[in-house]
Amino acid sequence: MIRTGIGYDSHRLVAGRPLILGGVELPSELGLEGHSDADALCHAVTDALLGAACLGDIGEHFPDNDERYRDADSIELLRAATGMVREAGFAVVNVDATILLERPKLAGARRAMRERLADAIGLGPDEVNVKASTGEGIGFVGRGEGVAVLAIATLRRAAEND
Ligand code: MG
């Protein structure tokens, strides 16, 4: 049995914060505002995995008013969510994501993001894809005010001996 889930997240770009996406810190004058490390890629992928397993959403499991998650490393939240998905009897087949961000260019960091995400999910880097697109000057992404991420995850019901 195959299951799919979608995830979406956005965070505002502000001065004085690091820009961390997929567990990789990128050189940038602006970073992402949020209670945790604001890693929108990890958050969207986490929601896609939880969605595919019908396990609610990231805000339910890791509330943004909980002091335990202040400046949390979102790679660790993703790792924990993957554990819940496995516990519910699913194996992750693959994950795909699109980052919408005006700048910086992400091409040079995509491999590192895929490797970090894959490690947290327990997949190979060839089972996790990360794409990037800009806003072409339109909307909050195009004006450079924030980042948005879309993600999709596919699961299969794990066999007894998996
Ligand atoms: Mg978020």
Side-chain angles (χ1 to χ4, degrees), residues 131-153:
K131 309 183 297 298
S133 186
T134 67
E136 297 287 342
I138 304 159
F140 75 90
V141 169
R143 290 191 296 270
E145 294 169 2
V147 61
V149 183
L150 301 158
I152 184 164

Side-chain angles (χ1 to χ4, degrees), residues 15-30:
R17 290 272 301 182
L19 176 57
I20 299 170
L21 288 169
V24 177
E25 185 164 349
L26 300 150
S28 172
E29 283 176 14
L30 302 178

